[in-house]
Amino acid sequence: MIVLGLYTHHNAAVTIVRGGELLLNLELERYSRRKHDFGLHEDFVHACLARAGLGINEVNVVATNRSNPVFSSSHRTSNVMPGHVTLLGHSLEAFAIDHHLAHVASAFYTSPFDEAAVVSFDGGGDGQLGAYAWGRQNRIEACEPQRFENLGGWWSGLTFNNYRMPRLHAWDPGSGAGKIMALAAYGDYDPEVVAELAHNMAEPSYSPSYTDPPSLAFHNDEDLSDTRLLRS
């Protein structure tokens, strides 16, 4: 079986798996040379298939995100929602995978554990902000995406406004958050800073308030961009 993975939001990517073997995993930015590029680009999909030595007619099923513009389904929303995509002139069976279920699966299936509690704490995706799940052997059980205080969106806004790391386009969740987290490994723990952050987040006025409009949009899973006009 050949599975085509297709993600169309920020850091859009294509993955191709054949019989459980990974043939290709490529982000759009490597093709377009635009950092954190996003959107559906059929020329990119075609190029990825060609690199793997495949044609679109050989793809058996597509795994994608719910908001993919070419995905359609008559089923009610679920963690794994069956439907179809129309891609490169072909109608293909497809499944829209919940954003946080995808995070949970990537964490558990690449771990050394046969059984584990798994947590996704993301800035936002498919209208939810994270998920709790249980992984056992080769299955994800009881994955429950939900909304709660959005640490990811808050942190993104804080780093954007304090460290002036601008977004590269309207649908970029912000590079600053990841860069500051990486740089933190080179710093020293400061209990005063931790206490101040905890105090600010506990303020009733927070509830939560964000320091810039893109952070609020990220919290609400809103797409601020028009992929036809606002490329990075």
Side-chain angles (χ1 to χ4, degrees), residues 163-181:
Y163 298 98
R164 312 313 302 167
M165 294 183 177
R167 292 172 172 80
L168 300 179
H169 51 69
W171 192 226
D172 181 5
S175 301
K179 290 176 180 177
I180 296 301
M181 281 192 287

Side-chain angles (χ1 to χ4, degrees), residues 7-130:
Y7 182 67
T8 59
H9 279 181
H10 64 84
N11 300 97
V14 164
T15 299
I16 302 173
V17 176
R18 180 172 57 195
E21 177 189 1
L22 178 65
L23 299 184
L24 177 143
N25 180 44
L26 189 65
E27 289 195 357
L28 175 62
E29 68 174 26
R30 300 292 184 179
Y31 176 79
S32 66
R33 313 309 296 173
R34 296 179 173 93
K35 195 67 174 172
H36 304 308
D37 210 354
F38 62 100
L40 174 68
H41 304 280
E42 290 197 329
D43 56 332
F44 172 57
V45 177
H46 182 269
C48 288
L49 287 167
R51 185 166 182 174
L54 298 170
I56 189 66
N57 59 308
E58 297 177 84
V59 174
N60 299 109
V61 66
V62 176
T64 189
N65 50 296
R66 287 184 203 160
S67 52
N68 185 329
V70 296
F71 174 77
S72 61
S73 176
S74 59
H75 296 263
R76 61 183 298 179
T77 300
S78 62
N79 283 348
V80 180
M81 187 163 57
H84 289 83
V85 297
T86 302
L87 192 63
L88 296 172
H90 287 69
S91 179
L92 302 169
E93 181 183 16
F95 293 89
I97 310 301
D98 177 83
H99 184 93
H100 301 285
L101 174 58
H103 279 308
V104 164
S106 67
F108 178 64
Y109 289 140
T110 58
S111 79
F113 307 113
D114 293 327
E115 191 169 350
V118 194
V119 178
S120 166
F121 239 123
D122 197 11
D126 287 333
Q128 307 296 332
L129 304 177

